[in-house]
Protein backbone atom coordinates (compact mmCIF):
# COMPACT_ATOMS: atom_id res chain seq x y z
CA UNK A 1 0.00 0.00 0.00
CA UNK A 2 1.44 3.33 -0.99
CA UNK A 3 0.20 6.44 0.78
CA UNK A 4 0.74 9.69 -1.12
CA UNK A 5 3.78 11.52 0.26
CA UNK A 6 2.21 14.99 -0.07
CA UNK A 7 -0.59 14.17 2.39
CA UNK A 8 -0.59 14.09 6.18
CA UNK A 9 -2.34 11.42 8.23
CA UNK A 10 -4.11 11.01 11.55
CA UNK A 11 -3.95 8.00 13.85
CA UNK A 12 -7.71 7.64 13.25
CA UNK A 13 -6.81 6.83 9.60
CA UNK A 14 -7.91 10.08 7.93
CA UNK A 15 -5.74 11.91 5.42
CA UNK A 16 -5.43 15.66 4.97
CA UNK A 17 -4.25 17.57 1.92
CA UNK A 18 -2.13 20.68 2.24
CA UNK A 19 -4.38 23.67 2.77
CA UNK A 20 -4.71 25.90 -0.29
CA UNK A 21 -6.04 29.34 0.64
CA UNK A 22 -6.72 27.87 4.08
CA UNK A 23 -8.91 25.03 2.73
CA UNK A 24 -7.82 21.40 3.09
CA UNK A 25 -9.38 18.18 1.78
CA UNK A 26 -10.09 15.25 4.13
CA UNK A 27 -10.60 11.57 3.33
CA UNK A 28 -9.93 8.15 4.82
CA UNK A 29 -6.87 6.11 3.98
CA UNK A 30 -6.73 3.03 1.80
CA UNK A 31 -5.82 1.07 4.95
CA UNK A 32 -9.06 2.21 6.64
CA UNK A 33 -11.14 1.63 3.50
CA UNK A 34 -9.81 -1.93 3.24
CA UNK A 35 -10.45 -2.58 6.94
CA UNK A 36 -14.02 -1.31 6.64
CA UNK A 37 -14.90 -3.44 3.65
CA UNK A 38 -17.44 -2.29 1.08
CA UNK A 39 -18.74 1.13 2.15
CA UNK A 40 -22.50 1.33 1.55
CA UNK A 41 -23.45 4.57 3.37
CA UNK A 42 -21.69 7.85 4.14
CA UNK A 43 -22.90 10.53 6.54
CA UNK A 44 -20.64 13.53 6.02
CA UNK A 45 -20.53 16.89 7.79
CA UNK A 46 -22.66 19.57 6.11
CA UNK A 47 -21.43 22.83 4.64
CA UNK A 48 -21.24 25.36 7.46
CA UNK A 49 -20.66 22.74 10.18
CA UNK A 50 -17.80 23.40 12.57
CA UNK A 51 -15.52 20.40 13.09
CA UNK A 52 -12.91 19.92 15.81
CA UNK A 53 -9.66 17.99 15.52
CA UNK A 54 -10.04 14.46 16.88
CA UNK A 55 -13.82 14.74 17.23
CA UNK A 56 -16.50 12.73 15.43
CA UNK A 57 -18.00 14.54 12.43
CA UNK A 58 -19.79 11.79 10.52
CA UNK A 59 -19.84 8.06 9.90
CA UNK A 60 -19.20 5.45 7.28
CA UNK A 61 -21.22 2.25 7.17
CA UNK A 62 -19.92 -0.84 5.45
CA UNK A 63 -21.05 -4.41 4.98
CA UNK A 64 -18.85 -5.23 8.02
CA UNK A 65 -19.47 -2.39 10.49
CA UNK A 66 -20.18 1.26 11.18
CA UNK A 67 -17.20 3.51 11.75
CA UNK A 68 -17.07 7.05 13.08
CA UNK A 69 -15.42 9.66 10.91
CA UNK A 70 -13.04 11.98 12.76
CA UNK A 71 -11.79 15.36 11.64
CA UNK A 72 -7.99 15.64 11.62
CA UNK A 73 -8.22 19.46 11.99
CA UNK A 74 -10.54 22.13 13.37
CA UNK A 75 -12.44 24.48 11.10
CA UNK A 76 -15.57 25.12 9.07
CA UNK A 77 -16.77 22.67 6.43
CA UNK A 78 -16.93 24.40 3.04
CA UNK A 79 -17.83 21.38 0.89
CA UNK A 80 -19.01 17.79 1.33
CA UNK A 81 -18.45 15.27 -1.44
CA UNK A 82 -21.97 14.60 -2.74
CA UNK A 83 -20.54 11.99 -5.12
CA UNK A 84 -19.56 9.86 -2.09
CA UNK A 85 -23.01 10.29 -0.55
CA UNK A 86 -24.55 9.14 -3.86
CA UNK A 87 -21.97 6.36 -4.43
CA UNK A 88 -20.22 5.40 -1.15
CA UNK A 89 -18.14 2.76 -2.96
CA UNK A 90 -15.88 5.62 -4.13
CA UNK A 91 -14.33 5.48 -0.65
CA UNK A 92 -13.08 1.99 -1.49
CA UNK A 93 -12.26 2.41 -5.17
CA UNK A 94 -10.55 5.83 -5.02
CA UNK A 95 -9.82 6.82 -1.39
CA UNK A 96 -7.21 9.42 -2.39
CA UNK A 97 -8.98 10.77 -5.49
CA UNK A 98 -12.76 10.81 -6.03
CA UNK A 99 -13.44 9.24 -2.62
CA UNK A 100 -12.45 12.32 -0.61
CA UNK A 101 -15.04 13.21 2.03
CA UNK A 102 -15.10 16.93 2.81
CA UNK A 103 -13.19 20.20 2.55
CA UNK A 104 -12.58 22.36 5.58
CA UNK A 105 -11.36 25.92 6.12
CA UNK A 106 -8.69 25.14 8.71
CA UNK A 107 -8.61 27.21 11.90
CA UNK A 108 -6.41 24.87 13.93
CA UNK A 109 -4.19 21.97 13.01
CA UNK A 110 -2.81 19.62 15.68
CA UNK A 111 0.90 18.95 15.72
CA UNK A 112 0.51 15.17 15.81
CA UNK A 113 -0.37 14.57 12.14
CA UNK A 114 1.89 11.98 10.55
CA UNK A 115 3.93 11.99 7.35
CA UNK A 116 3.27 9.18 4.85
CA UNK A 117 6.28 7.21 6.14
CA UNK A 118 5.20 7.68 9.77
CA UNK A 119 1.66 6.59 8.91
CA UNK A 120 2.95 3.51 7.03
CA UNK A 121 4.90 2.48 10.15
CA UNK A 122 1.90 3.21 12.40
CA UNK A 123 -0.62 1.31 10.28
CA UNK A 124 1.68 -1.68 9.86
CA UNK A 125 2.23 -1.91 13.62
CA UNK A 126 5.94 -1.01 13.52
Amino acid sequence: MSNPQQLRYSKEHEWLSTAEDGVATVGITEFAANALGDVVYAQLPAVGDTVSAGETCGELESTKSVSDLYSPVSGEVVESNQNVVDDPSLVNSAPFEGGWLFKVRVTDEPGDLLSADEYDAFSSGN
Side-chain angles (χ1 to χ4, degrees), residues 43-60:
Q43 177 200 353
L44 304 179
V47 172
D49 284 356
T50 300
V51 295
S52 298
E55 299 293 318
T56 304
C57 63
E59 71 179 29
L60 297 173

PDB file of all heavy atoms in Angstrom, residues 43-60:
ATOM      1  N   GLN A  43     -22.313   9.327   5.941  1.00  0.00           N
ATOM      2  CA  GLN A  43     -22.901  10.526   6.545  1.00  0.00           C
ATOM      3  C   GLN A  43     -21.740  11.494   6.751  1.00  0.00           C
ATOM      4  O   GLN A  43     -20.850  11.240   7.569  1.00  0.00           O
ATOM      5  CB  GLN A  43     -23.572  10.227   7.876  1.00  0.00           C
ATOM      6  CG  GLN A  43     -24.118  11.475   8.537  1.00  0.00           C
ATOM      7  CD  GLN A  43     -24.335  11.299  10.035  1.00  0.00           C
ATOM      8  OE1 GLN A  43     -24.203  10.221  10.578  1.00  0.00           O
ATOM      9  NE2 GLN A  43     -24.647  12.382  10.687  1.00  0.00           N
ATOM     10  N   LEU A  44     -21.737  12.571   5.990  1.00  0.00           N
ATOM     11  CA  LEU A  44     -20.640  13.534   6.016  1.00  0.00           C
ATOM     12  C   LEU A  44     -21.094  14.821   6.697  1.00  0.00           C
ATOM     13  O   LEU A  44     -22.291  15.135   6.709  1.00  0.00           O
ATOM     14  CB  LEU A  44     -20.179  13.826   4.589  1.00  0.00           C
ATOM     15  CG  LEU A  44     -19.764  12.614   3.752  1.00  0.00           C
ATOM     16  CD1 LEU A  44     -19.367  13.060   2.354  1.00  0.00           C
ATOM     17  CD2 LEU A  44     -18.636  11.844   4.420  1.00  0.00           C
ATOM     18  N   PRO A  45     -20.138  15.597   7.219  1.00  0.00           N
ATOM     19  CA  PRO A  45     -20.530  16.886   7.788  1.00  0.00           C
ATOM     20  C   PRO A  45     -21.078  17.796   6.695  1.00  0.00           C
ATOM     21  O   PRO A  45     -20.677  17.710   5.537  1.00  0.00           O
ATOM     22  CB  PRO A  45     -19.234  17.425   8.382  1.00  0.00           C
ATOM     23  CG  PRO A  45     -18.141  16.719   7.657  1.00  0.00           C
ATOM     24  CD  PRO A  45     -18.700  15.375   7.284  1.00  0.00           C
ATOM     25  N   ALA A  46     -22.015  18.662   7.067  1.00  0.00           N
ATOM     26  CA  ALA A  46     -22.656  19.568   6.112  1.00  0.00           C
ATOM     27  C   ALA A  46     -21.870  20.862   5.986  1.00  0.00           C
ATOM     28  O   ALA A  46     -21.139  21.267   6.899  1.00  0.00           O
ATOM     29  CB  ALA A  46     -24.082  19.874   6.571  1.00  0.00           C
ATOM     30  N   VAL A  47     -22.033  21.517   4.848  1.00  0.00           N
ATOM     31  CA  VAL A  47     -21.426  22.834   4.635  1.00  0.00           C
ATOM     32  C   VAL A  47     -21.899  23.752   5.758  1.00  0.00           C
ATOM     33  O   VAL A  47     -23.075  23.782   6.109  1.00  0.00           O
ATOM     34  CB  VAL A  47     -21.817  23.397   3.257  1.00  0.00           C
ATOM     35  CG1 VAL A  47     -21.362  24.837   3.110  1.00  0.00           C
ATOM     36  CG2 VAL A  47     -21.230  22.533   2.149  1.00  0.00           C
ATOM     37  N   GLY A  48     -20.942  24.458   6.358  1.00  0.00           N
ATOM     38  CA  GLY A  48     -21.244  25.360   7.462  1.00  0.00           C
ATOM     39  C   GLY A  48     -21.027  24.741   8.829  1.00  0.00           C
ATOM     40  O   GLY A  48     -20.949  25.454   9.826  1.00  0.00           O
ATOM     41  N   ASP A  49     -20.939  23.397   8.902  1.00  0.00           N
ATOM     42  CA  ASP A  49     -20.664  22.741  10.182  1.00  0.00           C
ATOM     43  C   ASP A  49     -19.260  23.110  10.657  1.00  0.00           C
ATOM     44  O   ASP A  49     -18.336  23.256   9.850  1.00  0.00           O
ATOM     45  CB  ASP A  49     -20.729  21.213  10.056  1.00  0.00           C
ATOM     46  CG  ASP A  49     -22.140  20.669   9.983  1.00  0.00           C
ATOM     47  OD1 ASP A  49     -23.106  21.450  10.102  1.00  0.00           O
ATOM     48  OD2 ASP A  49     -22.271  19.444   9.787  1.00  0.00           O
ATOM     49  N   THR A  50     -19.114  23.218  11.964  1.00  0.00           N
ATOM     50  CA  THR A  50     -17.800  23.400  12.573  1.00  0.00           C
ATOM     51  C   THR A  50     -17.326  22.039  13.050  1.00  0.00           C
ATOM     52  O   THR A  50     -18.076  21.323  13.723  1.00  0.00           O
ATOM     53  CB  THR A  50     -17.876  24.376  13.757  1.00  0.00           C
ATOM     54  OG1 THR A  50     -18.343  25.635  13.275  1.00  0.00           O
ATOM     55  CG2 THR A  50     -16.522  24.567  14.405  1.00  0.00           C
ATOM     56  N   VAL A  51     -16.112  21.660  12.663  1.00  0.00           N
ATOM     57  CA  VAL A  51     -15.520  20.401  13.092  1.00  0.00           C
ATOM     58  C   VAL A  51     -14.320  20.695  13.980  1.00  0.00           C
ATOM     59  O   VAL A  51     -13.690  21.743  13.853  1.00  0.00           O
ATOM     60  CB  VAL A  51     -15.111  19.508  11.888  1.00  0.00           C
ATOM     61  CG1 VAL A  51     -16.334  19.070  11.097  1.00  0.00           C
ATOM     62  CG2 VAL A  51     -14.132  20.223  10.969  1.00  0.00           C
ATOM     63  N   SER A  52     -14.039  19.764  14.885  1.00  0.00           N
ATOM     64  CA  SER A  52     -12.913  19.915  15.812  1.00  0.00           C
ATOM     65  C   SER A  52     -11.967  18.742  15.644  1.00  0.00           C
ATOM     66  O   SER A  52     -12.414  17.590  15.513  1.00  0.00           O
ATOM     67  CB  SER A  52     -13.411  19.958  17.256  1.00  0.00           C
ATOM     68  OG  SER A  52     -14.245  21.072  17.458  1.00  0.00           O
ATOM     69  N   ALA A  53     -10.686  19.029  15.675  1.00  0.00           N
ATOM     70  CA  ALA A  53      -9.663  17.991  15.516  1.00  0.00           C
ATOM     71  C   ALA A  53      -9.876  16.874  16.529  1.00  0.00           C
ATOM     72  O   ALA A  53     -10.049  17.135  17.725  1.00  0.00           O
ATOM     73  CB  ALA A  53      -8.275  18.595  15.672  1.00  0.00           C
ATOM     74  N   GLY A  54      -9.905  15.632  16.038  1.00  0.00           N
ATOM     75  CA  GLY A  54     -10.045  14.464  16.883  1.00  0.00           C
ATOM     76  C   GLY A  54     -11.462  14.136  17.291  1.00  0.00           C
ATOM     77  O   GLY A  54     -11.702  13.135  17.961  1.00  0.00           O
ATOM     78  N   GLU A  55     -12.424  14.955  16.860  1.00  0.00           N
ATOM     79  CA  GLU A  55     -13.821  14.739  17.231  1.00  0.00           C
ATOM     80  C   GLU A  55     -14.595  14.100  16.077  1.00  0.00           C
ATOM     81  O   GLU A  55     -14.292  14.312  14.913  1.00  0.00           O
ATOM     82  CB  GLU A  55     -14.487  16.056  17.618  1.00  0.00           C
ATOM     83  CG  GLU A  55     -13.847  16.745  18.810  1.00  0.00           C
ATOM     84  CD  GLU A  55     -14.022  15.979  20.110  1.00  0.00           C
ATOM     85  OE1 GLU A  55     -15.133  15.455  20.340  1.00  0.00           O
ATOM     86  OE2 GLU A  55     -13.041  15.895  20.870  1.00  0.00           O
ATOM     87  N   THR A  56     -15.640  13.360  16.422  1.00  0.00           N
ATOM     88  CA  THR A  56     -16.498  12.729  15.427  1.00  0.00           C
ATOM     89  C   THR A  56     -17.241  13.786  14.612  1.00  0.00           C
ATOM     90  O   THR A  56     -17.752  14.756  15.168  1.00  0.00           O
ATOM     91  CB  THR A  56     -17.529  11.817  16.121  1.00  0.00           C
ATOM     92  OG1 THR A  56     -16.830  10.865  16.921  1.00  0.00           O
ATOM     93  CG2 THR A  56     -18.390  11.088  15.113  1.00  0.00           C
ATOM     94  N   CYS A  57     -17.290  13.584  13.290  1.00  0.00           N
ATOM     95  CA  CYS A  57     -17.995  14.540  12.431  1.00  0.00           C
ATOM     96  C   CYS A  57     -18.867  13.848  11.386  1.00  0.00           C
ATOM     97  O   CYS A  57     -19.427  14.496  10.515  1.00  0.00           O
ATOM     98  CB  CYS A  57     -17.007  15.492  11.763  1.00  0.00           C
ATOM     99  SG  CYS A  57     -15.834  14.703  10.666  1.00  0.00           S
ATOM    100  N   GLY A  58     -18.973  12.536  11.454  1.00  0.00           N
ATOM    101  CA  GLY A  58     -19.791  11.787  10.520  1.00  0.00           C
ATOM    102  C   GLY A  58     -19.579  10.310  10.736  1.00  0.00           C
ATOM    103  O   GLY A  58     -18.979   9.907  11.740  1.00  0.00           O
ATOM    104  N   GLU A  59     -20.070   9.502   9.795  1.00  0.00           N
ATOM    105  CA  GLU A  59     -19.839   8.063   9.900  1.00  0.00           C
ATOM    106  C   GLU A  59     -19.875   7.410   8.528  1.00  0.00           C
ATOM    107  O   GLU A  59     -20.466   7.934   7.584  1.00  0.00           O
ATOM    108  CB  GLU A  59     -20.833   7.390  10.848  1.00  0.00           C
ATOM    109  CG  GLU A  59     -22.246   7.288  10.346  1.00  0.00           C
ATOM    110  CD  GLU A  59     -23.174   6.588  11.337  1.00  0.00           C
ATOM    111  OE1 GLU A  59     -22.944   6.643  12.558  1.00  0.00           O
ATOM    112  OE2 GLU A  59     -24.150   5.987  10.856  1.00  0.00           O
ATOM    113  N   LEU A  60     -19.194   6.282   8.474  1.00  0.00           N
ATOM    114  CA  LEU A  60     -19.195   5.448   7.279  1.00  0.00           C
ATOM    115  C   LEU A  60     -19.714   4.078   7.680  1.00  0.00           C
ATOM    116  O   LEU A  60     -19.276   3.517   8.691  1.00  0.00           O
ATOM    117  CB  LEU A  60     -17.783   5.323   6.700  1.00  0.00           C
ATOM    118  CG  LEU A  60     -17.140   6.620   6.221  1.00  0.00           C
ATOM    119  CD1 LEU A  60     -15.685   6.384   5.839  1.00  0.00           C
ATOM    120  CD2 LEU A  60     -17.909   7.214   5.061  1.00  0.00           C
TER     121      LEU A  60
END
